[in-house]
Amino acid sequence: MKITDAGIHPYPAGDSTVARMALEAAGLGFDSVVVIGDAAHRPPGIEVLRGAVIGASSVKEVLKRVRDPAVRRADIVYVDAGDISFNRAVVSVKEVNVVRSIHATRRNAFDHVAARTAAEQGVAVDISMAPIIHLRGTKRQRALQRYADILSLQRRYGFPLTISSDARSILGQRSVREIRGLCALFGMTGAEVTEAFSSVGRIVEPHRPVRVVE
Amino acid sequence: MRPRPPAMRTKRRYILARILPYGVQVDQKQVYLAVIEAATSLLGDAASGLAQPAVVFCEGGYVVVRCRRGTEKDIAVALATVTTVADERIALRTVATSGTIHALRRRMRPIQHLSGDGEVKIGETYFAVYRYPRQKVDLVEKGIKHQKSLFFTEGDLEER
């Protein structure tokens, strides 16, 4: 079972290079990281996966963007969450692996219908630590409420969760133990956090029945 | 005033945290204010008041935070939400928790600053180079205040 940070943004989007962030992640207890953006340089000692983010306003645009060569090369395809109809539709797109930025959407934008479809399709919902670490006051309270709501849906319907630091610098990365504590703020148990950390591994290499190749 | 007998004293816990980036100079009072702000913002006045967090030691790239026994996990989580100290971007990495400062001092490893510092130009900006073990290289923009920092490795620097 791999412990994966499901989203870091290295230089030039942030101020730390892939190698430095991977080194830091290894020291913080992670086995692998998903690099959003360019991950041409893959340092030894830790697995570096490539992630692509699609920020689109309509499902038609998402369907168009998933055919891009850059997105096709990616190990994990993320889509930024939008309104309720967009989220319901996007979780049924085969090429999409994870729906992210759920904290930035309106309340009930990810509802029980989207949750059921996500569970059927194996699409994960990303929980970013950045709003809990960097925001203060009502904005952080709203993010915690949204995460608690997502957690209750996950417990009912069983779709996968991923946890990302969304760090743009080594200063934004947090250890596995610290993330466990931060997730406990919205009621996530230690076992659920461990499961969420290993979701990326299951998305990349899903358990499928053995196929006989003749 | 006579001190209270040991059985009546409040039990304390001490949390050791490393300050990132290496070499950043922060004032103990400013760290205390940042920790209090983070704890109050995250846990609320009531929980922070009961936890009684205080910074008892801050030097050599480490900080020791004192709190009441039983609240150390909450304070450690609050330390994870500290992002700035006096407009300086930092991170506090919790290393260990103990009942004595003496035990924590044994966990403090001095951060070795390797020789070979110099200067590098990235884009139009000149950066001072600071090297650390495990191939880590910190680049600090040359200037008077609010300098930008970049975090590279030896390999990244050689590629440029």
Side-chain angles (χ1 to χ4, degrees), chain A residues 9 16 19-20 24 30 47 50 56 61 76 82 95 102 113 116 135-136 140 144 157 164-165 170 175 189 200:
Chain A
H9 307 259
S16 311
R20 183 68 185 268
E24 203 69 31
F30 290 96
E47 192 180 355
R50 196 180 295 172
E61 209 180 322
I76 309 275
E95 290 86 356
I102 210 86
V113 179
R116 194 180 296 142
L135 298 180
R136 295 283 188 271
R140 178 155 68 182
L144 289 169
Y157 296 103
S164 64
S165 64
I170 57 161
S175 70
T189 63
V200 172

Side-chain angles (χ1 to χ4, degrees), chain B residues 33-48:
Chain B
L33 292 172
V35 169
I36 288 290
E37 187 275 328
T40 310
S41 169
L42 191 73
L43 310 169
D45 287 337
S48 300

